[in-house]
């Protein structure tokens, strides 16, 4: 891929994340190389799930970066970056009071998921050598057959159609701006915390460690990504998959 061709859209590929990982395994693409698709035949979601999207209706895009300024122990900084990128793209269209990030990185409108992020890092020593940051942003899709959790799209929220290539470009631009801030030492954590569902606001959840329902407030998110929740007077620490948010409580 040459200098002028750092962005490539495919009509159909298995997964933009997988494609970027393959590129990285055999070359060193320019930073901010972005691969998008109208359709993925094997889109990957969090925790081994699949990401299904109707052809041409949504943003499906992965971006390659080399964040060697981030220590392995702080790799969650990339989640701050990715979630805030989605928030920034959506704020012109969505009432900010309705927009939340559900830890670690689901973006919600009215408690329904509108975007998800999948990050794949390659480490070198104690730093991140390269990273593929994949975004699935629901734009014009109106029905989500077979999806269990509540899902929405820009069109479902506002009733309007959107230009998917324009949103892709906006996402890439916002990503670059926030990435530059991060590289220049700005912490994105405070902004992320402000958007976080349950931050200083009581929420209900299921604790998978001791298998019980609880209510608490988010206290902090560590650089490692661990979530700290204050339950009663006690701060409890959660790893991914150890907590399930109850969104309708
Ligand atoms: C999630 O489950 O919340 C993460 C979803 C990430 C989906 C995007 S779509 C573009 C990129 N390619 C993939 O295969 N997955 C990510």
């Amino acid at each position: 891929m040459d200098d002028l061709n750092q962005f490539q859209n495919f009509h159909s590929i298995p997964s933009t994340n997988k494609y970027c990982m393959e590129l990285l395994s055999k070359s060193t693409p320019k930073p901010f190389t972005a691969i998008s698709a109208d359709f993925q035949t094997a889109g990957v979601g969090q925790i081994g799930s699949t990401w299904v999207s109707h052809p041409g209706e949504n943003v499906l895009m992965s971006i390659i970066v080399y964040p060697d300024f981030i220590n392995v122990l702080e790799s969650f900084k990339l989640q701050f970056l990715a979630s805030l990128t989605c928030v920034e793209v959506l704020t012109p269209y969505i009432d900010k009071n309705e927009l939340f990030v559900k830890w670690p990185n689901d973006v919600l409108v009215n408690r329904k998921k509108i975007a998800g992020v999948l990050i794949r890092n390659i480490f070198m020593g104690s730093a991140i050598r390269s990273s593929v940051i994949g975004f699935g942003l629901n734009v014009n899709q109106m029905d989500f057959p077979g999806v269990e959790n509540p899902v929405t799209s820009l069109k479902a929220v506002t009733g309007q159609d959107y230009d998917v290539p324009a949103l892709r470009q906006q996402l890439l631009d916002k990503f670059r701006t926030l990435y530059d801030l991060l590289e220049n030492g700005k912490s994105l954590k405070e902004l992320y915390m402000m958007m976080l569902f349950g931050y200083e606001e009581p929420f209900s959840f299921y604790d998978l460690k001791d298998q019980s329902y609880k209510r608490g407030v988010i206290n902090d998110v560590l650089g490692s990504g661990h979530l700290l929740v204050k339950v009663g007077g006690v701060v409890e620490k959660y790893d991914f998959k150890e907590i399930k948010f109850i969104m309708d409580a």
Side-chain angles (χ1 to χ4, degrees):
M1 217 180 293
D2 59 36
D3 275 12
L4 296 171
N5 200 11
Q6 284 183 59
F7 173 82
Q8 204 175 353
N9 183 59
F10 289 88
H11 176 56
S12 172
I13 53 172
S15 151
T16 58
N17 259 45
K18 281 189 205 151
Y19 187 90
C20 287
M21 293 304 280
E22 279 160 28
L23 277 182
L24 276 168
S25 71
K26 51 189 183 219
S27 63
T28 308
K30 293 247 168 215
F32 303 107
T33 292
I35 301 297
S36 78
D38 299 329
F39 184 66
Q40 297 183 129
T41 54
V44 187
Q46 291 284 339
I47 324 176
S49 63
T50 52
W51 188 260
V52 183
S53 160
H54 289 174
E57 296 189 354
N58 305 313
V59 171
L60 306 167
M61 183 162 73
S62 302
I63 305 171
I64 297 174
V65 281
Y66 301 92
D68 54 7
F69 55 92
I70 298 179
N71 187 283
V72 172
L73 300 174
E74 301 253 279
S75 52
F76 205 78
K77 284 181 175 176
L78 291 174
Q79 304 276 7
F80 298 150
L81 164 71
S83 302
L84 288 174
T85 300
C86 297
V87 167
E88 290 262 307
V89 170
L90 291 168
T91 33
Y93 314 106
I94 305 273
D95 182 345
K96 217 164 175 188
N97 297 322
E98 295 171 0
L99 197 54
F100 284 99
V101 174
K102 182 164 79 90
W103 178 85
N105 56 17
D106 287 353
V107 183
L108 311 179
V109 177
N110 291 328
R111 302 188 175 207
K112 294 179 183 170
K113 181 161 170 173
I114 195 165
V117 177
L118 186 69
I119 302 182
R120 289 285 177 262
N121 294 321
I122 296 173
F123 299 104
M124 191 174 56
S126 59
I128 300 178
R129 196 190 82 79
S130 57
S131 184
V132 171
I133 306 188
F135 295 91
L137 171 65
N138 297 333
V139 181
N140 292 322
Q141 189 163 332
M142 289 300 282
D143 59 311
F144 297 86
V147 180
E148 262 179 48
N149 296 320
V151 187
T152 193
S153 68
L154 262 178
K155 183 174 178 179
V157 176
T158 66
Q160 289 177 27
D161 273 300
Y162 293 86
D163 180 350
V164 173
L167 280 162
R168 240 185 241 146
Q169 189 57 48
Q170 285 162 28
L171 195 148
L172 191 51
D173 293 346
K174 298 285 184 198
F175 179 84
R176 285 191 78 137
T177 306
L178 287 169
Y179 187 92
D180 287 347
L181 289 175
L182 193 61
E183 191 166 22
N184 288 313
K186 166 122 177 76
S187 169
L188 302 177
K189 178 176 169 176
E190 291 71 24
L191 289 171
Y192 172 90
M193 295 304 292
M194 304 242 299
M195 298 308 301
L196 206 54
F197 177 81
Y199 181 54
E200 294 178 343
E201 281 283 329
F203 73 105
S204 299
F205 63 98
Y206 186 69
D207 182 329
L208 289 123
K209 286 190 289 185
D210 62 16
Q211 307 201 341
S212 65
Y213 288 93
K214 294 181 177 171
R215 205 165 160 78
V217 287
I218 292 177
N219 205 265
D220 202 2
V221 175
L222 305 182
S224 59
H226 287 92
L227 182 72
L228 301 188
V229 184
K230 200 168 186 183
V231 182
V234 181
V235 176
E236 303 203 21
K237 185 174 170 182
Y238 294 96
D239 204 343
F240 311 107
K241 299 189 220 171
E242 289 183 345
I243 181 168
K244 190 169 168 23
F245 288 77
I246 314 286
M247 300 307 291
D248 50 9

